Amino acid sequence: MRLSLWLGLSLSAALARAAPYKGCQHKVKESIYGPPRGWVKQSPAPPNHIIELKIALPQPNFSVLEQHLWEVSDPDHERYGDHLSKEETDALMAPHQDSVDAVNEWLASHGFAEEHLIRSSAKDWVTIRVPVSLAEEMLDTTYHVYHHAETGDSVVRTTSYSLPEILHEHVDLIQPTTMFARFKAFKSTLHWAGADSSTSTPSSGTITGPAGNQVDASCNNTITLTCLRQLYNAVGYQTSATNGNKFGLTGYLGQYANIDDLQMFFQDQNPAAYGSNFTFVSVHGGINNQSIAAAGVEADLDTQFGFGLTYPTPGTFYSTYGEPPYIPDALETTNTNEPYSYWLDYVLSMSDLPQAISTSYGDDEQTVPYSYAVRACNGFAALGARGVSILFSSGDYGVGDGDPDPATQQCFTNDGRNVTAFIPEFPASCPYVTSVGGLVNIPETAVFFSGGGFSNYFARPSYQDTAVQGYLDKLAPGTYEGLYNPNGRGIPDVSAQAYDFLIVYQGEEGYVAGTSCSSPTFASFISMLNDARIDAGLPTLGFLNPFLYSTGYTALNDITEGNNPGCGTEGFNATIGWDPITGFGSPNFEKLKELVLAV
């Protein structure tokens, strides 16, 4: 909707509808101490710049949805696998009609008719397009352009906004306002180095892998599809192309999955898949530019290894619009930089979804407003209740704050105190997703950059109590006291290889590293398990964590070596059992298959 539409709105009609809000006192709804480290306030935002405001209405029945989630995800519950339908989750996420009416009335007072509103499937989100000047009037705030010196990104944001007091109980949050997350891909070194970056360890013969089987020694230098199948005990397992199983990957920030690169990769590492392709899905205007120069390292990595491991299972690649940096002078450019809600809106509106979906993006938890993190997390819970396994990379900076060099990290809280603290990642910290850490070498050890720790937003879920408390009990008294929240949700849950993955990028072979590698890898083996369950007439696994923490961990390869330094510390150590760097460890597919076919 262009600015001219606003000029055509009837001022008299708007004033007439404004009566219920005339003179109504605004009260601060949400504020932050200041922008996160690295963001600098610049000029006031151009008044005619168009932004999309997303308004979240309360979900009064979410606790009921959550109870369904626990029951259908618990292998010991009689309802295990009895997943909800789209219509059932929509009903449980829907707001009260009172909230719908109150927000409608407020929007009408500013000239918005129903045809100007975009509603989510459950009617719990309302999206409007407005010029900054009107947004400032509605929210009693002032927007500025903020610039990030390190990345060059710019966003239009504010540090506080208000609403009429009578609206507070009917609105959970409005964004983009106070959210400064940069939403980066998780690659520790962006280590596109060409195919000569492998180490000097022996590459001929075989070595013993974590499952006790023989693995090509070259896997200590170069990770390929064959290596992962050997390491994780899935050699010879063939998935179906027709049993209804599907596998999904997400792409953001202009990361385009190049099909020519994919075919070169298939030709080299999985010739049977050569000529096959994935289904492309555009979310909120996302595209998949096939210019070789536009190919994205992250998107190429995800699609090549994810779809290469699961072939011939049908694959879906979701591309969600949004590509920084924002140019403040381009008035028609919207810069939301909050893609989770757009992606969640889309997939929650679909009846037919991939049963396992991996995402390799995120940001420091503290850069995401708490209210927004909770709402996004609720969306992931709804997907889990519908039988979708959601996996996220745990992050690439150890316990640190985003600086890839542990020696220079400055891990400060963003609450005005500026005290040193470990920095967990979101969405990995959401208790309704499965977080995947990173490993390296054979025998497997924690890779130094593997993100891990404890959430400051989300309390430890009950399924983690025994495992996490067992780890905390092993720590020497006073270890890192005050640097982490011992009562928070522990990260990660599991782990997989994350270093020296050989991909094809812009027509050339080279290596990449990061938990961007580990999440699609682990998710691919979950997709294979779903394939096995479907063939056996069983429902898909859905939300994984209750299974993993009750019995699934017994079929994982425990990792007991390595640590994840950051914030001037050595970070956490891998140890026997669960730990906040490798979780419960890497998959043993055959052992997992036995377990999942027995529940």
Side-chain angles (χ1 to χ4, degrees):
M1 183 167 58
R2 294 186 176 274
L3 186 60
S4 58
L5 173 62
W6 301 101
L7 302 178
L9 292 173
S10 167
L11 180 60
S12 59
L15 290 174
R17 287 190 295 268
Y21 291 92
K22 185 176 182 180
C24 184
Q25 182 85 24
H26 272 68
K27 180 181 177 182
V28 172
K29 176 64 178 176
E30 189 165 27
S31 64
I32 57 176
Y33 177 82
R37 186 169 66 92
W39 289 104
V40 178
K41 184 165 73 172
Q42 297 188 313
S43 60
N48 292 335
H49 173 70
I50 303 296
I51 57 176
E52 288 189 342
L53 287 181
K54 293 184 69 67
I55 305 164
L57 280 62
Q59 300 166 324
N61 294 314
F62 178 76
S63 61
V64 180
L65 185 149
E66 186 183 39
Q67 184 60 37
H68 282 288
L69 174 68
W70 298 136
E71 292 178 0
V72 303
S73 306
D74 180 358
D76 293 327
H77 198 281
E78 62 182 1
R79 291 188 59 208
Y80 181 62
D82 184 18
H83 301 125
L84 303 185
S85 67
K86 169 191 176 299
E87 292 73 23
E88 288 170 328
T89 56
D90 276 356
L92 292 171
M93 296 174 75
H96 278 312
Q97 188 60 44
D98 286 350
S99 295
V100 175
D101 292 342
V103 170
N104 285 350
E105 191 174 34
W106 174 62
L107 292 174
S109 75
H110 288 283
F112 291 92
E114 183 63 32
E115 60 265 27
H116 304 141
L117 313 181
I118 301 171
R119 299 188 187 275
S120 63
S121 182
K123 307 296 189 291
D124 55 334
W125 287 91
V126 179
T127 303
I128 57 175
R129 299 194 73 198
V130 296
V132 162
S133 57
L134 181 55
E136 291 178 334
E137 176 188 335
M138 296 172 69
L139 304 179
D140 192 23
T141 190
T142 301
Y143 278 89
H144 283 81
V145 176
Y146 288 82
H147 181 76
H148 196 277
E150 178 187 346
T151 65
D153 296 349
S154 292
V155 295
V156 170
R157 294 292 186 269
T158 182
T159 56
S160 176
Y161 68 94
S162 300
L163 289 172
E165 192 165 357
I166 60 174
L167 267 185
H168 277 229
E169 65 179 304
H170 300 297
V171 173
D172 274 352
L173 65 108
I174 298 177
Q175 292 291 350
T177 49
T178 58
M179 183 168 175
F180 286 81
R182 284 184 292 136
F183 192 60
K184 52 190 176 288
F186 283 141
K187 273 188 295 296
S188 67
T189 59
L190 297 175
H191 120 199
W192 179 254
D196 61 350
S197 68
S198 55
T199 62
S200 59
T201 54
S203 59
S204 60
T206 61
I207 51 181
T208 302
N213 56 337
Q214 292 303 294
V215 175
D216 293 342
S218 61
C219 297
N220 245 327
N221 302 331
T222 300
I223 295 296
T224 63
L225 297 179
T226 298
C227 287
L228 293 173
R229 282 184 170 268
Q230 291 176 349
L231 278 167
Y232 299 142
N233 201 17
V235 174
Y237 184 80
Q238 296 295 318
T239 59
S240 170
T242 58
N243 65 2
N245 190 37
K246 294 179 290 295
F247 181 56
L249 298 165
T250 63
Y252 300 96
L253 306 179
Q255 277 284 327
Y256 306 131
N258 187 270
I259 295 170
D260 288 342
D261 285 347
L262 180 68
Q263 296 308 318
M264 286 183 63
F265 176 86
F266 281 163
Q267 200 165 26
D268 180 47
Q269 295 199 31
N270 188 352
Y274 181 71
S276 69
N277 204 350
F278 52 83
T279 297
F280 169 73
V281 175
S282 171
V283 179
H284 193 55
I287 61 174
N288 195 30
N289 187 339
Q290 288 304 296
S291 164
I292 192 67
V297 174
E298 177 60 44
D300 274 2
L301 162 67
D302 288 346
T303 53
Q304 288 169 25
F305 272 86
F307 299 145
L309 284 168
T310 58
Y311 175 81
T313 296
T316 299
F317 178 69
Y318 297 94
S319 176
T320 302
Y321 171 77
E323 184 176 8
Y326 152 70
I327 302 172
D329 293 333
L331 299 183
E332 288 300 322
T333 299
T334 58
N335 177 257
T336 58
N337 212 30
E338 289 152 37
Y340 296 129
S341 60
Y342 286 103
W343 183 79
L344 281 166
D345 279 356
Y346 178 84
V347 294
L348 288 170
S349 72
M350 296 291 106
S351 297
D352 187 23
L353 294 171
Q355 294 92 336
I357 301 175
S358 172
T359 297
S360 297
Y361 300 77
D363 204 357
D364 299 344
E365 184 183 67
Q366 67 175 1
T367 70
V368 181
Y370 173 76
S371 60
Y372 184 89
V374 168
R375 283 301 293 255
C377 196
N378 288 359
F380 299 133
L383 288 173
R386 289 179 56 181
V388 181
S389 301
I390 302 293
L391 294 92
F392 275 90
S393 300
S394 70
D396 283 358
Y397 307 105
V399 294
D401 70 340
D403 188 329
D405 184 353
T408 60
Q409 288 177 352
Q410 298 179 9
C411 306
F412 298 133
T413 60
N414 192 44
D415 55 6
R417 297 180 300 142
N418 284 331
V419 298
T420 301
F422 293 164
I423 309 295
E425 299 288 327
F426 179 83
S429 63
C430 171
Y432 309 125
V433 307
T434 300
S435 174
V436 187
L439 307 175
V440 67
N441 295 334
I442 306 164
E444 293 186 305
T445 65
V447 69
F448 71 92
F449 55 70
S450 183
F454 300 86
S455 173
N456 292 314
Y457 281 1
F458 300 101
R460 183 196 308 160
S462 59
Y463 62 73
Q464 278 196 320
D465 277 342
T466 300
V468 172
Q469 193 58 53
Y471 176 83
L472 294 175
D473 289 345
K474 298 174 189 175
L475 291 178
T479 301
Y480 301 147
E481 186 174 356
L483 294 180
Y484 72 98
N485 173 22
N487 299 311
R489 184 265 203 266
I491 310 161
D493 303 297
V494 293
S495 50
Q497 287 281 320
Y499 203 83
D500 273 345
F501 275 51
L502 182 64
I503 70 166
V504 176
Y505 169 60
Q506 296 186 353
E508 302 289 339
E509 285 191 334
Y511 291 87
V512 290
T515 53
S516 284
C517 303
S518 56
S519 184
T521 294
F522 201 99
S524 295
F525 288 93
I526 296 302
S527 181
M528 294 184 208
L529 294 174
N530 281 334
D531 177 86
R533 281 181 61 87
I534 291 172
D535 281 349
L538 298 170
T540 54
L541 291 167
F543 177 43
L544 298 169
N545 293 6
F547 161 70
L548 291 172
Y549 282 83
S550 59
T551 59
Y553 72 92
T554 63
L556 299 179
N557 307 307
D558 193 13
I559 312 300
T560 59
E561 299 290 335
N563 61 296
N564 56 350
C567 306
T569 76
E570 291 301 308
F572 295 108
N573 291 320
T575 188
I576 295 172
W578 182 91
D579 55 70
I581 176 172
T582 69
F584 278 120
S586 60
N588 183 326
F589 176 75
E590 283 298 329
K591 290 180 69 174
L592 282 167
K593 183 158 68 76
E594 290 179 16
L595 282 180
V596 302
L597 293 180
V599 294

